[in-house]
Amino acid sequence: MTGFININKAQGVSSAREVAIIKRLTHSPCGHMGTLDPMASGVLPVGIGNACRLFDYFLDKHKVYRAKFKFGVGYDTLDITGNRLSDGGRIPSLSEIEQILPQFVGKIMQTPPRYSAKSINGVRGYKLARAGVDFELAPKEVTIYSIKLLSEEDYGEFSFEIECGGGTYIRSLGRDIAAKLGTVAAMSALVRTSSGVFSIENAVNSSELNEENISDYIIPTQSVLPFKDIYPKGADAKKLFNGISVSVDEADGLYKIYNEDGAFYGLGTVESGSLKVRTKLC
């Protein structure tokens, strides 16, 4: 089997657990595109078989989240699953939050949470943090396309819709928004509603899947790739599929390549009128 399954990850379970379920049902190697913390839920695209080779093409795709931040409390993990460090901080108003949100839109520098999968000398940050090791993570550039303040859910707890690029830590965003307002905050809920072409409207709960129906939920690999098609024929096809570049009348860029039987073969790159296979999937 090869392709993608758009999983609606349940709250309270790990992304690895969801991948393990798909691996068991498909009897194929699997992997996910962008982990979700156990407390988070929502869209978790899982690649099956050779589709996993395409993850690099999805890493920077737009992601949309619905997040809740509880202001006035601080936690070591930047979410409410950790140890509480402070309480009784100032609660900003809706208008105060709205006024500073534009400062966080665009390309910004963001320091990842200490409790994260970021590595320091080959060791995950969360392992060092749990061991009480003092360390610093370097800031990194991330892209925030939009932030909308939706409502105040409860006193001091506000909900947001955030559209961002890959690699963004929503927990860190909550921390930084609060710091700009002279207070602290912790993430209290998180749902990923979309990741690239995958949306929560057509996601499936892994608990609904079994060996008999899982093939009904596998999305063909080529259908989620936003590239034009190329169908090489004859001598050009033979050369191309033997690792030799061929001439094409196409603009530079990435293309989906199909074999002479019409089956999806993989991805190719066109540069200066020359097409070569970049990622083979069959």
Side-chain angles (χ1 to χ4, degrees), residues 18-40:
E18 300 284 44
V19 171
I21 291 173
I22 305 306
K23 182 177 181 180
R24 174 174 56 82
L25 294 176
T26 61
H27 307 287
S28 302
C30 298
H32 61 69
M33 295 191 305
T35 188
L36 282 172
D37 291 337
M39 77 167 290

Side-chain angles (χ1 to χ4, degrees), residues 51-126:
C52 295
R53 299 177 184 176
L54 299 172
F55 283 174
D56 287 348
Y57 300 98
F58 294 94
L59 290 180
D60 294 325
K61 295 297 182 184
H62 288 208
K63 297 177 172 65
V64 180
Y65 295 89
R66 292 238 173 168
K68 293 181 183 179
F69 299 127
K70 193 171 182 63
F71 286 78
V73 293
Y75 286 77
D76 56 359
T77 58
L78 303 186
D79 62 37
I80 60 172
T81 67
N83 298 311
R84 185 177 291 200
L85 302 177
S86 59
D87 203 349
R90 191 176 77 85
I91 307 298
S93 66
L94 282 164
S95 61
E96 286 180 301
I97 297 173
E98 287 180 328
Q99 286 175 12
I100 61 99
L101 289 184
Q103 299 178 39
F104 294 91
V105 176
K107 294 186 182 297
I108 64 172
M109 298 302 294
Q110 182 186 78
T111 301
R114 290 164 63 88
Y115 284 83
S116 69
K118 296 294 289 185
S119 294
I120 300 292
N121 297 323
V123 182
R124 300 292 191 185
Y126 64 83

Side-chain angles (χ1 to χ4, degrees), residues 1-5 26 48 213-220:
M1 289 186 179
T2 187
F4 295 92
I5 290 188
T26 61
I48 303 168
N213 70 9
I214 192 166
S215 60
D216 297 334
Y217 293 93
I218 297 178
I219 303 167

